[in-house]
Amino acid sequence: TLSIVGLSSSLVGFASAEIESSISAGYNSQYVYRGVDFGDDQATLNLGTSGNAGGLDWSINLFHGSSEDATIFGGAAGASLDETRIHAGVSTGLSDHLSISAGIINTSYNLLPSDRLEVYVGAATTVSGIDVSATAYFNESDNYTGDTYYELGASKDFDVAENVTGTLAVTYGNWNKDPLGGTVADVDFLSVSGTLNIDLGDNVGASIGVTHISSDTAITEDQTVVGTSLTLSF
């Protein structure tokens, strides 16, 4: 599943047997998560490992992000949001064209008193060269509103030039209830993104992209996000 800003890039690192590890770093002009504006000037770091066991593909990821002016969380003007997210999941192919996935996500915020725990299930396929996915996330934390978040995604990769590829993606998301207060039902958003991925050689890569997010509720304004990342494989 693509991130909302569509700019996360992974650093494929050492591989042993069927295990791969990765690290990524990036910057986004705004932090918009699932259609909600969480602040400005987000810097990110992601560590991950993945492999295959017993016919199942598995992955574990540790994400940390820091953004400014996170007033939507009730902080003072200029408050910094530090977020740490642990994600563990498995997936398997039911056929050559259909795969299913499941996992858990635990997210902690420095501006909120408790963690958010989610369980998710999803499915993915390819239609006429377009990758399509559908995922449902179920809130397991009593201290957070919004019982379920649904997301549909479609993306297409293509060659732009030598050592340059592009990705176009569209994401539709729906919260069954406002995740930040519970006062609004059926919070919807739509994002459209374009990303260029550049292979610089010597295990170095870079990406740059732009995403526009539109929402139909008052909890967030329409946003255009620009981001970039630099990768190094080892």
Side-chain angles (χ1 to χ4, degrees):
T1 303
L2 290 175
S3 65
I4 290 177
V5 294
L7 302 175
S8 298
S9 61
S10 64
L11 272 27
V12 177
F14 60 85
S16 175
E18 294 183 344
I19 297 178
E20 294 184 342
S21 297
S22 65
I23 182 173
S24 66
Y27 167 82
N28 297 302
S29 59
Q30 295 282 124
Y31 177 29
V32 182
Y33 182 62
R34 296 180 180 175
V36 182
D37 187 351
F38 280 2
D40 306 330
D41 297 319
Q42 185 198 34
T44 65
L45 178 66
N46 190 82
L47 304 174
T49 186
S50 62
N52 181 279
L56 292 176
D57 295 320
W58 59 266
S59 64
I60 301 173
N61 289 277
L62 174 63
F63 166 90
H64 180 75
S66 179
S67 54
E68 304 297 327
D69 294 326
T71 54
I72 197 168
F73 282 92
S80 297
L81 172 66
D82 290 322
E83 174 186 357
T84 300
R85 187 183 312 135
I86 301 172
H87 173 190
V90 296
S91 64
T92 188
L94 298 182
S95 68
D96 292 339
H97 303 288
L98 178 65
S99 64
I100 57 174
S101 60
I104 58 174
I105 302 173
N106 188 86
T107 308
S108 61
Y109 306 95
N110 65 315
L111 298 179
L112 297 176
S114 61
D115 292 358
R116 180 185 182 96
L117 178 65
E118 293 178 300
V119 175
Y120 72 87
V121 294
T125 188
T126 300
V127 180
S128 300
I130 299 175
D131 296 327
V132 180
S133 63
T135 311
Y137 300 81
F138 304 96
N139 175 33
E140 302 296 325
S141 303
D142 294 336
N143 293 329
Y144 289 86
T145 57
D147 295 327
T148 312
Y149 168 72
Y150 303 98
E151 186 172 283
L152 301 175
S155 65
K156 173 69 174 180
D157 296 329
F158 54 92
D159 293 330
V160 177
E162 185 177 1
N163 299 324
V164 180
T165 60
T167 302
L168 294 176
V170 177
T171 300
Y172 166 77
N174 171 267
W175 295 90
N176 72 319
K177 186 181 293 185
D178 172 3
L180 298 179
T183 59
V184 181
D186 289 328
V187 179
D188 298 277
F189 77 89
L190 181 70
S191 72
V192 180
S193 66
T195 307
L196 289 178
N197 303 295
I198 307 166
D199 182 0
L200 301 177
D202 295 326
N203 297 323
V204 178
S207 69
I208 184 169
V210 60
T211 299
H212 183 75
I213 305 101
S214 298
S215 177
D216 67 347
T217 69
I219 67 170
T220 187
E221 298 178 351
D222 290 1
Q223 297 282 358
T224 298
V225 180
V226 178
T228 186
S229 66
L230 183 66
T231 68
L232 173 65
S233 300
F234 61 94

